[in-house]
């Protein structure tokens, strides 16, 4: 702010020097500035050299067109151009993409086409929040609320449905400063997003209405409502390709949850275990899952630790007829709103262990593969311990989506376990085992997701499509990296994946992404990347086929031959990567000194080698 004030003073002095008789106040009255130009103008005077390399700003990105222009991606899976994307670590899908060096042509028509699409949008479109206070008829609002509770709250039961609906009917009696209002509007935004309302201004109105109801006042007091509001907004923003803003909101929710003691059980003096206490447990474990998932997705440190958590897991209860003061009903043996989050919370605990011990471990660590096998065993035990309705066919339709997403998460964590393991192995046979296990899980992931999308096509809403795209794309990239390297042919040993199955899986994934892309722009971008990798790799393989029976820096005389770690040199590794050595996890044995994604401007968040920060473009 001080810098902006100094700039204003300098501009005032400049005007007086150019025209001593000018009346600045009168001139300002006749000068109009587009609302969306205010914030960008505020940054014009910031010296780029003074901006920290990890800084970012998403505050002025109001329309989907702007988000595509700057290249943000809530999945952290696609490459970005010359925009600043915030810090992303080794487990982010975009980092995996960088292990396919030299396969992407330098120029692409994708960005040109996207710029043409963006330029056709009205840059001054900014609906007046006061005129849009009601944001639709009662029928529209009811439909959005129903969509939220049917398709979102069944995976992440942040809100108690009957309590919310009662407040919804009496919302006009609530105080203006109540934290319930931003919750209400973000529920509408999520419901609108799920129903596919992503192209018009309606979605922006709902989110903008929620944002307009938020202030520093919400940080000056701690309530469960405020934690819920920050959770909803943070998760919504991630899925709307504002990952850094969403990450911050989730962080606020996490800190506030700790301040409210949600990580602790209710005091021993509590006479009854009411639904209110259970709701505290539910919200805490959703905070825990969001922190874990966001950390692994972006490759950033996971904050939550099991060492200080006392809160019990939620119980599988049907509380649809309960109020917050009700005594808890008996747990059910059928799917309830809490079934998915219970399984997810147990999985997240294992995932955090895998992330800290394997995925994000420094490359200098030497991994005993017994650790990876033990962690893999824990994941299999988790799956076997799930209630029968996680594998039964006769389950309610609303439960199929939440159940599928939890299963895909487990497969993704298991795939990343073995992906991270292979780089830490020093014994050749261990490295081969880890790589083959990683490929098997990737194929299993592709098979499960593509089968689900074929069998339950009518059940796939935008929210479910988001998860299907993310997990499917990452699994396909893991296969493509090894399948497309001419210098690293498929392992044809007794435990290797069948080459025909390998190629078939990639083909199935591309077909599924093509189907999802009809209503999912992220799937379109992922498919475009896969097609470009395939086309360019075919040309590369024809021109650079080399016989290879061995691997670099390794001897193959015996199963227990030690693998020598590939040493980075100044010519192969940019110095900026030294900021986080863990980023080198996916770059070994590759000649990645050139930017393989040059020409793919607008795809998010792999261009950290050149720039970690991002500020709004003034062009």
């Amino acid at each position: 702010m001080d810098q902006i004030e100094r700039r204003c003073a300098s501009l005032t002095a400049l005007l007086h020097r150019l025209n001593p008789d000018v009346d600045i106040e009168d001139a300002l009255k006749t000068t109009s500035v587009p609302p969306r130009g205010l914030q960008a103008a505020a940054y014009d005077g910031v010296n780029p050299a003074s901006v920290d390399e990890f800084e970012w700003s998403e505050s002025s990105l109001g329309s989907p067109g702007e988000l595509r222009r700057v290249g943000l991606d809530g999945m952290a899976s696609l490459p970005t151009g010359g925009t600043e994307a915030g810090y992303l670590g080794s487990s982010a899908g975009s980092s995996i993409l960088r292990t396919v060096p030299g396969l992407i042509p330098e120029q692409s028509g994708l960005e040109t086409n996207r710029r043409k699409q963006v330029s056709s949008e009205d840059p001054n479109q900014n609906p007046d929040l006061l005129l849009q206070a009601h944001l639709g008829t009662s029928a529209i609002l009811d439909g959005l609320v129903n969509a939220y509770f049917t398709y979102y709250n069944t995976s992440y039961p942040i809100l108690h449905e009957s309590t919310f609906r009662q407040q919804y009917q009496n919302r006009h009696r609530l105080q203006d400063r109540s934290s319930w209002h931003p919750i209400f509007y973000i529920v509408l935004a999520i419901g609108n997003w799920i129903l596919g309302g992503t192209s018009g201004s309606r979605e922006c109105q709902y989110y903008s209405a929620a944002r307009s109801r938020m202030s520093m006042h919400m940080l000056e007091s701690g309530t469960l409502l405020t934690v819920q509001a920050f959770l909803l907004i943070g998760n919504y923003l991630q899925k709307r390709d504002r990952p850094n803003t969403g990450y911050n909101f989730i962080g606020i929710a996490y800190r506030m949850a700790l301040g409210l003691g949600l990580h602790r059980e209710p005091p021993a003096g509590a006479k009854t275990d009411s639904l209110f206490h259970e709701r505290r447990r539910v919200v805490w474990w959703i905070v825990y899952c969001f922190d874990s998932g966001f950390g692994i997705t972006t490759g950033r440190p996971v904050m939550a630790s099991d060492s200080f958590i006392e809160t019990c897991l939620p119980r599988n209860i049907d509380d649809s007829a309960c109020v917050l003061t009700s005594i808890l009903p008996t747990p059910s043996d059928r799917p309830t709103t809490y079934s998915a989050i219970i399984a997810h919370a147990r999985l997240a605990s294992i995932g955090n262990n895998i992330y800290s011990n394997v995925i994000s471990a420094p490359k200098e660590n030497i991994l005993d593969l017994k650790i990876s096998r033990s962690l893999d065993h824990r994941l299999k035990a988790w799956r076997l311990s799930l209630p029968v309705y996680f594998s039964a066919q006769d389950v309610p339709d609303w439960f199929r989506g939440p159940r599928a997403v939890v299963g895909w998460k487990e497969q993704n964590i298991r795939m990343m376990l073995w992906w991270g393991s292979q780089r830490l192995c020093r014994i050749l046979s261990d490295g081969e085992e880890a790589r083959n296990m990683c490929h098997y899980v990737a194929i299993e992931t592709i098979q499960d997701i593509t089968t689900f999308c074929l069998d339950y096509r009518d059940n796939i809403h935008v929210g479910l499509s988001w998860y299907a795209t993310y997990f499917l794309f990452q699994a396909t990239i893991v296969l493509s990296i090894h399948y497309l390297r001419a210098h690293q042919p498929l392992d044809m040993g007794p435990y290797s994946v069948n080459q025909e199955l390998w190629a078939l899986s990639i083909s199935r994934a591309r077909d599924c992404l093509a189907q999802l892309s009809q209503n999912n722009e992220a799937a379109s971008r992922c498919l475009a990347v896969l097609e470009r990798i395939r086309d360019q790799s075919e040309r590369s393989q024809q021109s650079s086929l080399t016989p290879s029976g061995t691997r670099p820096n390794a001897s193959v005389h015996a199963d227990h031959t030690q693998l020598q770690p590939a040493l980075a040199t100044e010519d192969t590794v940019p110095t900026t990567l030294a900021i986080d050595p863990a980023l080198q996890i996916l770059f070994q044995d590759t000649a990645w000194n050139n930017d393989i994604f040059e020409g793919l401007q607008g795809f998010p968040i792999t261009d950290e080698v050149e720039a970690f920060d991002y500020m709004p473009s003034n062009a």
Side-chain angles (χ1 to χ4, degrees):
M1 185 60 70
D2 291 340
Q3 187 173 1
I4 295 174
E5 290 175 349
R6 288 194 298 270
R7 180 172 173 81
C8 290
S10 299
L11 291 174
T12 301
L14 176 62
L15 287 174
H16 279 301
R17 187 165 62 249
L18 295 175
N19 186 356
D21 298 327
V22 67
D23 188 325
I24 295 178
E25 295 299 327
D26 288 342
L28 289 175
K29 293 178 181 178
T30 61
T31 303
S32 61
V33 180
R36 287 170 61 187
L38 291 175
Q39 188 161 14
Y43 284 98
D44 287 346
V46 178
N47 180 6
S50 68
V51 177
D52 185 86
E53 63 179 345
F54 291 99
E55 288 185 356
W56 53 270
S57 174
E58 295 166 350
S59 58
S60 63
L61 306 178
S63 69
E66 283 180 291
L67 295 171
R68 292 192 300 271
R69 175 175 60 80
V70 300
L72 296 177
D73 167 30
M75 300 179 186
S77 292
L78 295 170
T80 185
T83 60
E84 300 82 2
Y87 170 77
L88 291 172
S90 58
S91 66
S94 56
S95 295
I96 298 178
L97 273 173
R98 279 193 171 275
T99 63
V100 197
L103 299 182
I104 301 298
E106 293 186 357
Q107 301 297 330
S108 168
L110 292 176
E111 172 63 9
T112 302
N113 295 335
R114 183 164 48 256
R115 288 188 182 277
K116 290 180 180 179
Q117 295 173 358
V118 173
S119 63
S120 64
E121 299 181 12
D122 181 5
N124 295 317
Q125 186 178 13
N126 186 24
D128 187 340
L129 295 181
L130 295 178
L131 295 178
Q132 300 293 336
H134 296 91
L135 302 169
T137 65
S138 296
I140 293 176
L141 300 186
D142 290 347
L144 298 181
V145 170
N146 291 338
Y148 167 84
F149 280 105
T150 301
Y151 301 114
Y152 182 89
N153 210 63
T154 48
S155 286
Y156 306 113
I158 297 173
L159 303 177
H160 182 236
E161 182 171 1
S162 61
T163 299
F164 177 89
R165 289 188 180 277
Q166 181 180 9
Q167 294 167 327
Y168 171 56
Q169 297 300 325
N170 300 296
R171 60 188 181 277
H172 301 298
R173 302 177 187 175
L174 298 176
Q175 296 181 355
D176 289 340
R177 299 184 68 182
S178 170
S179 298
W180 185 87
H181 293 294
I183 290 178
F184 167 60
Y185 289 123
I186 203 64
V187 163
L188 298 181
I190 293 173
N192 183 72
W193 170 68
I194 286 174
L195 294 179
T198 58
S199 57
S201 62
R202 178 70 66 184
E203 181 270 342
C204 292
Q205 292 175 15
Y206 296 133
Y207 168 68
S208 296
R211 189 171 182 269
S212 70
R213 290 284 190 157
M214 303 185 70
S215 68
M216 286 296 294
H217 170 74
M218 297 180 68
L219 299 178
E220 294 172 347
S221 62
T223 67
L224 192 62
L225 272 180
T226 308
V227 175
Q228 292 168 316
F230 287 135
L231 281 176
L232 289 169
I233 292 176
N235 193 245
Y236 169 78
L237 288 173
Q238 180 193 10
K239 292 179 169 65
R240 299 298 296 129
D241 294 334
R242 293 188 184 180
N244 295 288
T245 310
Y247 183 77
N248 285 350
F249 275 114
I250 298 300
I252 295 172
Y254 172 74
R255 291 291 186 184
M256 191 169 287
L258 292 178
L260 291 172
L262 298 189
H263 61 296
R264 309 288 288 182
E265 276 292 299
K271 295 181 179 179
T272 58
D273 195 4
S274 66
L275 180 60
F276 175 75
H277 293 149
E278 189 72 357
R279 290 300 308 165
R280 285 172 55 93
R281 297 185 184 102
V282 171
V283 171
W284 166 254
W285 285 108
I286 295 175
V287 171
Y288 181 92
C289 290
F290 281 2
D291 174 70
S292 171
F294 227 143
I296 295 175
T297 298
T298 60
R300 298 169 181 174
V302 174
M303 297 292 103
S305 170
D306 292 353
S307 62
F308 61 78
I309 298 174
E310 179 186 275
T311 302
C312 298
L313 288 172
R315 280 161 278 199
N316 190 54
I317 59 174
D318 180 1
D319 61 1
S320 57
C322 299
V323 296
L324 294 180
T325 56
S326 299
I327 298 176
L328 292 179
T330 303
S332 173
D333 58 358
R334 297 189 56 81
T336 73
T337 303
Y338 302 112
S339 299
I341 196 60
I342 295 170
H344 189 177
R346 293 174 53 228
L347 175 63
S349 178
I350 304 173
N352 288 352
N353 199 332
I354 291 172
Y355 181 71
S356 60
N357 290 309
V358 178
I359 299 175
S360 64
K363 184 181 177 183
E364 293 74 18
N365 288 13
I366 298 177
L367 178 71
D368 184 344
L369 209 60
K370 292 180 181 178
I371 296 176
S372 299
R373 297 188 190 108
S374 175
L375 291 169
D376 185 85
H377 178 76
R378 288 185 62 187
L379 289 173
K380 292 176 180 177
W382 168 87
R383 185 176 284 273
L384 292 173
S385 69
L386 292 174
V388 66
Y389 47 76
F390 272 87
S391 56
Q393 292 297 319
D394 56 337
V395 295
D397 279 346
W398 64 262
F399 185 63
R400 296 189 187 279
R403 178 178 69 174
V405 170
V406 172
W408 300 341
K409 285 179 183 289
E410 184 270 335
Q411 291 173 329
N412 181 259
I413 292 173
R414 189 150 45 96
M415 182 182 74
M416 295 306 297
L417 161 66
W418 292 109
W419 174 271
S421 297
Q422 62 179 319
R423 72 186 175 92
L424 299 176
C425 291
R426 295 294 180 265
I427 298 176
L428 181 60
S429 59
D430 285 352
E432 293 290 347
E433 178 183 346
R435 182 165 52 256
N436 288 328
M437 288 296 295
C438 181
H439 296 164
Y440 270 120
V441 181
I443 289 176
E444 180 185 10
T445 301
I446 293 173
Q447 299 292 333
D448 282 2
I449 295 177
T450 55
T451 299
F452 182 90
C453 291
L454 287 174
D455 292 347
Y456 302 105
R457 186 171 300 179
D458 294 339
N459 294 62
I460 300 178
H461 51 81
V462 171
L464 189 54
S465 175
W466 191 91
Y467 284 104
T469 298
Y470 171 73
F471 294 123
L472 185 62
F473 181 64
Q474 198 169 66
T476 308
I477 286 296
V478 164
L479 288 185
S480 299
I481 287 171
H482 295 275
Y483 180 66
L484 300 176
R485 283 176 174 171
H487 69 281
Q488 196 175 59
L490 295 180
D491 178 20
M492 302 309 293
Y495 301 104
S496 64
V497 177
N498 179 274
Q499 185 171 359
E500 183 178 352
L501 176 60
W502 193 306
L504 177 62
S505 298
I506 294 177
S507 177
R508 287 189 62 173
R510 292 178 65 255
D511 292 342
C512 186
L513 285 171
Q515 182 67 33
L516 293 173
S517 67
Q518 296 179 10
N519 299 303
N520 185 336
E521 187 175 341
S524 300
R525 299 197 300 263
C526 293
L527 183 61
V529 172
L530 292 177
E531 290 179 342
R532 294 187 61 194
I533 292 175
R534 179 200 61 185
D535 295 341
Q536 180 64 13
S537 67
E538 290 176 353
R539 292 192 292 269
S540 300
Q541 288 180 352
Q542 291 174 2
S543 60
S544 61
L545 285 176
T546 57
S548 176
T550 62
R551 300 192 183 279
N553 301 313
S555 173
V556 292
H557 295 303
D559 282 347
H560 296 284
T561 298
Q562 297 292 315
L563 292 177
Q564 301 299 321
L567 297 178
T569 66
E570 292 183 6
D571 294 332
T572 58
V573 181
T575 56
T576 53
L577 216 63
I579 295 171
D580 180 12
L583 282 178
Q584 300 177 25
I585 183 174
L586 301 176
F587 294 83
Q588 62 186 49
D589 299 332
T590 63
W592 56 279
N593 52 310
N594 294 322
D595 182 6
I596 64 172
F597 294 109
E598 183 178 354
L600 281 176
Q601 305 295 328
F603 286 105
I605 312 187
T606 51
D607 205 20
E608 290 189 343
V609 171
E610 296 183 1
F612 285 88
D613 55 79
Y614 66 89
M615 301 293 289
S617 172
N618 297 321

